[in-house]
């Protein structure tokens, strides 16, 4: 099997998830190169130990990412680091000429995102993408196919969101995502927004304006040293936007990004309401696709269990359940196929789509600050 040699910069949770996906590559029944993780880098030496112990293909271990980028054997890089580091590290990775998968938000602010996109323009042969796993659930892919086939008819409304409750405990110690200097002013939008926006943007539903309601409920948290520290970033965001379909007809689109949603573990959802049919998907019911059937003047919601029928076939039988680890495998398969020059039906979040995301989040900050509807 053809392999692509990878380096990982940032050896935290998502770096480990990538290593797990690489270890399951034989699960795919696809003509697709396999990722071979040969190098890892983290400024904290202790973070490297898991990879030393668990990933036998790792042959190079660094604490300075410049050394990893100088390694000519490495063909592609995955980077998952705090937002404040995106501008410098992402640009350096792209300038090295290697293929690159980065994490959201692809720059702490709009200016940083612009510098990253300028680097992409200088290296058009490099495949550069942003990680976003949730649309690769088979039931969500079913929803996407209905939209592309026009089965909803005229769109009345779109709602999408990524919500969790991991910050509901006010005694949870502060982390970098609550500090503007490290996370950026977007707060929860920078952390959750691209996941929420992936399918809407890919369907061509680009916000024209936004009315934002941003909330910071917990204004201080334990600092881990016996004191309290200020929480500077937004906990929750609700963005009410105007978008348009392919015929230019406008409709409201509501995007939610919330760290404090009671009862939500990690709920990603998409709902599209139309004149002829409505469709919805949620990771709270991950194997089910919901759609409406017309009954004269009435509509009935129907639920179909899609099962394990992903975009890229695997050895898992279709009767079994699909989960988050499977969606990560699908996302990485899409990226590797693109590196290999193959066309993909639904791919990873694009650099140009991150620019739309930054325009939206910057306008949302302006809307909140001025109490107005902000035009993108």
């Amino acid at each position: 099997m053809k392999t692509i040699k990878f380096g990982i910069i940032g050896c935290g949770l998502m770096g480990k998830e990538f290593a797990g996906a690489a270890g399951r590559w034989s699960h795919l029944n696809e003509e697709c190169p396999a990722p071979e993780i040969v190098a890892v880098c983290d400024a904290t030496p202790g973070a490297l130990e898991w990879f030393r112990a668990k990933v036998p293909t790792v042959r190079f271990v660094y604490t300075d990412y410049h050394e990893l980028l100088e390694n000519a054997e490495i063909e592609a890089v995955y980077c998952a680091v705090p937002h404040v580091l995106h501008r410098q590290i992402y640009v350096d990775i792209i300038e090295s000429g290697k293929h690159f998968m980065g994490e959201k938000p692809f720059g702490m602010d709009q200016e940083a995102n612009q510098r990253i996109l300028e680097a992409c323009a200088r290296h058009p042969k490099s495949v550069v993408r942003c990680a976003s796993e949730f649309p690769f659930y088979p039931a969500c892919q079913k929803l996407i196919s209905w939209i592309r086939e026009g089965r909803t008819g005229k769109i009345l409304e779109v709602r999408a969101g990524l919500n969790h409750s991991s910050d509901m405990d006010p005694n949870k110690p502060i982390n970098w995502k609550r500090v503007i200097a490290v996370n950026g002013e977007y707060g929860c939008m920078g952390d959750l927004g691209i996941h929420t926006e992936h399918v809407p943007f890919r369907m061509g539903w680009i916000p024209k304006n936004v009315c934002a309601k941003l909330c910071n409920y917990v204004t201080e948290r334990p600092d881990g040293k016996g004191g309290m520290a200020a929480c500077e970033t937004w906990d929750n965001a609700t963005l009410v936007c105007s978008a348009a379909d392919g015929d230019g007809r406008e409709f409201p689109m509501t995007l939610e990004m919330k760290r404090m949603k009671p009862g939500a573990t990690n709920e990603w959802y998409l709902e599209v309401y139309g004149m002829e049919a409505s469709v919805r998907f949620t990771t709270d019911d991950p194997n089910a696709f919901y759609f409406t059937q017309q009954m004269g003047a009435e509509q009935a919601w129907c639920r179909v269990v899609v099962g394990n029928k992903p975009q890229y076939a695997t050895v898992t039988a279709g009767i079994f359940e699909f989960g988050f680890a499977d969606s990560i495998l699908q996302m990485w398969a899409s990226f590797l196929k693109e590196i290999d020059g193959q066309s993909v039906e639904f791919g990873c979040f694009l650099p140009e789509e991150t620019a739309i995301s930054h325009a939206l989040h910057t306008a949302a900050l302006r809307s909140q600050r001025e109490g107005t509807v902000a035009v993108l």
Side-chain angles (χ1 to χ4, degrees):
M1 181 183 295
K2 180 180 178 181
T3 62
I4 303 292
K5 291 181 171 58
F6 268 84
I8 297 176
I9 300 174
C11 295
L13 173 63
M14 297 313 296
K16 294 173 182 176
E17 288 284 0
F18 173 38
R24 295 181 61 210
W25 212 254
S26 60
H27 227 64
L28 287 164
N29 283 339
E30 290 280 332
E31 291 295 327
C32 182
E36 180 184 357
I37 300 170
V38 299
V40 292
C41 175
D42 199 288
T44 304
L48 301 166
E49 294 308 313
W50 186 92
F51 288 85
R52 290 181 190 269
K54 300 284 188 177
V55 187
T57 56
V58 169
R59 292 184 282 113
F60 308 100
V61 178
Y62 304 105
T63 55
D64 183 344
Y65 77 89
H66 295 94
E67 296 179 13
L68 184 148
L69 297 181
E70 290 169 359
N71 187 332
E73 190 173 338
I74 297 168
E75 302 168 86
V77 173
Y78 173 54
C79 182
V81 294
H83 304 168
V84 68
L85 301 176
H86 285 197
R87 173 175 173 165
Q88 187 64 57
I89 298 180
Y90 283 20
V91 168
D92 287 346
I93 294 169
I94 297 165
E95 295 289 9
S96 75
K98 302 180 190 301
H99 302 296
F100 172 46
M101 175 78 85
E103 278 293 337
K104 37 63 179 172
F106 241 62
M108 188 168 73
D109 53 30
Q110 197 168 28
E111 193 274 337
N113 179 254
Q114 182 60 36
R115 299 291 83 77
I116 294 168
L117 266 63
E118 289 170 357
C120 290
R122 291 191 291 271
H123 295 272
K125 293 184 179 180
S126 296
V127 178
V128 179
R129 298 291 182 264
C130 182
S132 174
E133 308 88 356
F134 296 104
F136 291 94
Y137 278 78
C140 186
Q141 291 288 309
K142 185 77 169 176
L143 185 155
I144 291 167
S145 71
W146 274 49
I147 298 302
R148 286 177 164 170
E149 294 164 9
R151 296 176 68 170
T152 63
K154 183 186 296 184
I155 294 175
L156 303 173
E157 182 180 4
V158 171
R159 301 182 64 87
L162 177 54
N163 302 319
H164 59 72
S165 57
S166 63
D167 283 359
M168 286 294 293
D169 180 3
N171 296 314
K172 175 184 174 181
I174 196 169
N175 58 34
W176 63 267
K177 292 182 180 179
R178 303 311 313 277
V179 180
I180 287 177
V182 185
N183 179 88
E185 289 187 71
Y186 296 153
C188 58
M189 294 185 291
D191 189 32
L192 308 175
I194 277 176
H195 293 304
T196 301
E197 298 150 1
H198 191 166
V199 177
F201 288 3
R202 188 62 52 84
M203 298 299 100
W205 304 330
I206 309 304
K208 297 183 175 183
N209 54 45
V210 59
C211 179
K213 182 58 179 178
L214 311 181
C215 301
N216 184 13
Y217 297 107
V218 181
T219 56
E220 61 176 15
R221 289 184 178 274
D223 62 6
K225 304 174 184 177
M228 301 295 287
C231 293
E232 304 169 329
T233 61
W234 302 110
D235 288 311
N236 287 4
T238 302
L239 310 183
V240 180
C241 311
S242 292
D245 63 18
D247 295 321
R249 293 186 294 256
E250 290 197 7
F251 57 85
M253 181 167 68
T254 303
L255 305 175
E256 287 188 317
M257 307 118 191
K258 297 179 178 178
R259 291 190 182 123
M260 299 184 69
K261 176 72 177 292
T265 302
N266 197 54
E267 175 201 17
W268 186 96
Y269 73 90
L270 177 62
E271 302 170 354
V272 181
Y273 297 91
M275 288 289 292
E276 296 180 19
S278 299
V279 289
R280 69 187 188 207
F281 167 76
T282 172
T283 55
D284 280 0
D285 193 2
N287 289 281
F289 168 63
Y290 288 84
F291 64 96
T292 57
Q293 282 189 338
Q294 298 283 18
M295 302 171 62
E298 299 175 331
Q299 302 81 41
W301 278 104
C302 305
R303 177 180 179 271
V304 173
V305 176
V306 175
N308 199 304
K309 299 172 185 175
Q311 183 174 182
Y312 307 118
T314 68
V315 299
T316 304
I319 62 171
F320 296 122
E321 294 82 7
F322 187 95
F324 183 69
D326 300 303
S327 70
I328 290 177
L329 181 64
Q330 292 288 310
M331 180 192 75
W332 279 105
S334 180
F335 184 54
L336 270 291
K337 279 177 171 285
E338 289 198 82
I339 290 176
D340 195 43
Q342 301 181 38
S343 62
V344 297
E345 186 173 346
F346 186 94
C348 302
F349 206 77
L350 303 171
E352 52 266 36
E353 291 171 332
T354 70
I356 302 170
S357 179
H358 277 267
L360 173 60
H361 300 165
T362 300
L365 292 176
R366 188 167 68 252
S367 170
Q368 174 72 19
R369 185 170 58 251
E370 299 174 358
T372 60
V373 175
V375 176
L376 271 68

